[in-house]
Amino acid sequence: MYFKFTFCPIILLLWASLSFAQNVNVVIHGAASIAKTDDNFVCVTLDWWPAEKCDYNQCPWGKAGILNLDLRYGALINAIKAFNPLRIKVGGSLQDNVVYKVGEVSSCPNFMKREDGLFGFSQGCLSMERWDQLNRFFNHTGVKLTFGLNALFGRNESQTEKGLWIGDWQPQNTRDFMQYTISKGYKVDSYEFGNQLSGSGMGAKVDAKQYGKDVIVLKNLVKELYAHPETQPKVLGPGGFYEEKWFNTFLEVSGQGIVDGLTHHIYNLGPGDDPNMMNKILDPSYLNQVSQTYKGVSDVVNKFRPQLGAWVSESGGALNGGSKDVSRTFADGFWYLDQMGMASTYDQKVFCRQALIGGNYGLLNATTFVPNPDYYGALLWHRLMGGTVLAVTKESDPDLRVYAHCAKKKPGVSLIFINLSKDRSFNITLSNAKPGDAGKPNYEFVGKQNREEYHLRALTGDIKDDIVCLNDVPMVQTDSEDIPAMDPKLVDASTPISIAAQSIAYVTIRDFEAPACV
């Protein structure tokens, strides 16, 4: 039984009325899209970390790792089903130390603490019994699966350069694993080659030219084993931090038509024990800094044109399990939802949150499976924001972040407003920038249909709360562990859109005329 509230405390309404209201005009450029995302843009990860994974004098993973997660919990099942479907990437730091117990591999060791091991752990193993359990779970919950492969198999660490792994990748264990997967009829949407081995690497690294040659081997293996193009999983890589020279060399060597999606990781909040974490999240100039990474990746994509464009295949905000004081609170949504908005404007097709469960940055509590605030923000994005991204301009106020997409369910447009200010609310009017009107005043939009609004606030007004309110109703699971109803508030279209201080709002406008959304 969970602690229930019927409505958020009245303090929220008082706070909204006492804060200074600023009028802002937002212009939506709906004539043409500026970017496209995948229909399953929202993605989460499941990681390999065992319970012994500890950082900053805490061990927050518990039994949330892939090998020991209890897949029978109704709360977990319902949280995934609510997305219908949810894209999940299985992978993480230890994936390049995982062998698959199939074919010639007979022993199946557990991860053990080991000082000289990769990330302080010994080699681990995925048994086919556990793979069967996971696939029954994925099938039951309707998951769209990306699986991260071991890209270090068969290599050895260099004797002359610490952290550099040399030699050709040996694909036999992956071949046996894929053959087993195919024989069972398990559906894999995509395979990602390696984890954080690009550039300077994290724990280990591989030379870009070697990586490019190895991913060709992987692509040919996928083509051989998955004979029918319509069921052939995509090949993704390199799944690491962006470094321009390394990424360019990797794609030059692999050539066109090999990597279907260019994947990279974002942890722009730095170490999880940073005492300034909250200040970073609320600082618009700090949040903007990561745009240089998105632009760099976008430039590489435009040069080499991988079929699926770029993916953020892992992003947890804060490194090493996240921040115990911030990542599980309402405040984290200011970083998370802003990052999804920014990534989409740079044509990033998928954004994978580290993690669904585990560490401090899980969307679900690692012990109770109760959703943290960011879960509800992600679910609303998935339901409301379509794949067509529109340009937005506004009067300069950096504390108000705005992103616009065509509505996922036509007609109309959906917007997300993120108010970072602690003492100012915003009254928003909208204008429609129509084609051929360069240099002329924009047309103020006056809707005729009620708007659909979803306002997210912290329970008590303190953004460090771990309970979020949607339209003044606390989001807590029902007695049957279902996700609560997330209905919009219908608002008179003739009134401004009101965004309270330190709140987030999604707004869908059905009668906004945007030619890009037809």
Side-chain angles (χ1 to χ4, degrees):
M1 176 71 71
Y2 301 110
F3 187 54
K4 297 288 197 322
F5 301 86
T6 304
F7 294 101
C8 290
I10 195 68
I11 189 173
L12 285 178
L13 301 178
L14 293 174
W15 178 256
S17 65
L18 291 173
S19 62
F20 170 70
Q22 181 174 332
N23 297 325
V24 176
N25 182 252
V26 171
V27 182
I28 301 174
H29 301 260
S33 65
I34 60 169
K36 295 278 190 179
T37 69
D38 189 86
D39 285 342
N40 298 107
F41 174 75
V42 176
C43 165
V44 296
T45 69
L46 285 175
D47 209 307
W48 294 98
W49 289 121
E52 293 77 16
K53 167 62 174 172
C54 304
D55 293 289
Y56 316 127
N57 299 315
Q58 51 165 328
C59 306
W61 281 90
K63 293 186 176 181
I66 294 164
L67 297 179
N68 53 21
L69 178 63
D70 191 333
L71 304 173
R72 299 169 298 175
Y73 276 94
L76 174 63
I77 292 169
N78 293 338
I80 295 174
K81 279 187 170 182
F83 281 82
N84 189 31
L86 177 61
R87 183 187 293 278
I88 288 181
K89 189 196 84 166
V90 171
S93 296
L94 294 180
Q95 80 178 50
D96 295 304
N97 221 17
V98 176
V99 297
Y100 318 121
K101 187 186 177 185
V102 62
E104 297 178 358
V105 175
S106 57
S107 64
C108 199
N110 291 323
F111 289 115
M112 302 290 290
K113 293 286 287 184
R114 178 177 158 183
E115 286 189 13
D116 62 343
L118 189 62
F119 295 103
F121 285 90
S122 67
Q123 190 177 73
C125 172
L126 174 64
S127 70
M128 293 305 96
E129 291 79 12
R130 182 58 174 175
W131 185 229
D132 293 339
Q133 294 170 4
L134 287 164
N135 277 279
R136 285 193 292 269
F137 176 76
F138 295 148
N139 184 62
H140 177 58
T141 54
V143 164
K144 200 173 186 71
L145 179 65
T146 295
F147 187 87
L149 294 168
N150 179 348
L152 291 183
F153 195 88
R155 306 187 205 270
N156 296 296
E157 188 170 4
S158 169
Q159 298 297 309
T160 58
E161 184 176 349
K162 184 175 176 57
L164 176 66
W165 286 64
I166 57 177
D168 293 335
W169 175 63
Q170 299 299 314
Q172 186 60 50
N173 192 221
T174 292
R175 172 186 286 276
D176 293 337
F177 173 70
M178 286 184 180
Q179 287 177 325
Y180 181 86
T181 299
I182 293 167
S183 73
K184 290 288 189 174
Y186 298 150
K187 295 179 181 178
V188 178
D189 174 75
S190 44
Y191 288 109
E192 187 176 36
F193 188 60
N195 184 82
Q196 295 180 350
L197 300 174
S198 59
S200 301
M202 287 284 287
K205 62 183 179 180
V206 174
D207 177 77
K209 291 181 179 179
Q210 179 68 58
Y211 215 89
K213 290 190 294 184
D214 293 330
V215 83
I216 293 173
V217 173
L218 173 60
K219 183 69 171 184
N220 289 333
L221 178 62
V222 170
K223 285 183 175 180
E224 173 194 343
L225 297 181
Y226 292 88
H228 301 290
E230 63 273 13
T231 60
Q232 193 175 97
K234 296 172 279 290
V235 171
L236 311 174
F241 293 107
Y242 172 68
E243 292 186 19
E244 181 180 1
K245 182 178 179 180
W246 194 100
F247 270 57
N248 272 283
T249 301
F250 161 61
L251 290 171
E252 286 170 358
V253 171
S254 61
Q256 292 196 1
I258 300 300
V259 177
D260 297 302
L262 185 69
T263 54
H264 67 108
H265 294 179
I266 295 285
Y267 280 91
N268 58 313
L269 296 179
D273 64 344
D274 187 343
N276 294 316
M277 187 70 61
M278 189 69 75
N279 293 333
K280 289 180 176 180
I281 284 175
L282 296 175
D283 181 354
S285 62
Y286 187 89
L287 294 176
N288 288 340
Q289 291 176 15
V290 74
S291 65
Q292 294 304 309
T293 297
Y294 289 127
K295 184 180 184 305
V297 172
S298 180
D299 289 345
V300 172
V301 167
N302 289 335
K303 181 178 179 180
F304 292 97
R305 301 194 177 281
Q307 177 188 350
L308 301 177
W311 292 24
V312 180
S313 63
E314 185 178 316
S315 185
L319 285 161
N320 299 325
S323 169
K324 67 181 179 64
D325 297 320
V326 178
S327 296
R328 291 178 284 189
T329 70
F330 178 79
D332 196 63
F334 296 126
W335 160 78
Y336 177 41
L337 298 177
D338 183 67
Q339 281 299 291
M340 289 208 291
M342 189 186 300
S344 67
T345 65
Y346 282 94
D347 213 29
Q348 310 287 295
K349 305 305 183 184
V350 172
F351 191 98
C352 295
R353 166 65 178 257
Q354 170 82 346
L356 172 63
I357 188 166
N360 292 306
Y361 40 34
L363 294 186
L364 307 178
N365 183 287
T367 304
T368 65
F369 299 90
V370 170
N372 289 319
D374 280 353
Y375 171 88
Y376 295 103
L379 183 54
L380 284 172
W381 182 291
H382 179 75
R383 290 178 175 178
L384 302 175
M385 307 292 276
T388 301
V389 186
L390 306 176
V392 174
T393 54
K394 64 178 177 64
E395 299 161 8
S396 57
D397 191 309
D399 283 337
L400 178 65
R401 323 281 282 185
V402 187
Y403 302 98
H405 291 219
C406 295
K408 194 155 195 176
K409 294 183 179 179
K410 294 183 177 182
V413 299
S414 289
L415 302 99
I416 181 171
F417 299 91
I418 302 169
N419 185 354
L420 302 175
S421 175
K422 67 182 292 187
D423 54 14
R424 282 178 301 148
S425 60
F426 292 98
N427 291 327
I428 311 295
T429 56
L430 297 178
S431 292
N432 193 349
K434 296 189 176 178
D437 285 341
K440 297 181 181 180
N442 294 303
Y443 294 84
E444 182 176 349
F445 169 73
V446 180
K448 297 180 180 179
Q449 298 182 28
N450 286 338
R451 296 189 302 267
E452 301 165 20
E453 298 189 359
Y454 304 78
H455 292 267
L456 299 171
R457 302 170 181 166
L459 175 65
T460 64
D462 182 349
I463 59 174
K464 293 181 180 179
D465 280 342
D466 60 2
I467 295 180
V468 60
C469 295
L470 171 60
N471 294 334
D472 297 327
V473 177
M475 291 289 97
V476 290
Q477 288 179 311
T478 66
D479 289 334
S480 59
E481 299 183 316
D482 287 321
I483 299 302
M486 300 177 69
D487 298 321
K489 178 171 64 173
L490 300 180
V491 181
D492 185 343
S494 66
T495 62
I497 301 169
S498 181
I499 311 298
Q502 290 191 331
S503 74
I504 299 166
Y506 288 92
V507 178
T508 297
I509 304 169
R510 295 296 175 190
D511 56 346
F512 192 97
E513 295 182 5
C517 300
V518 175

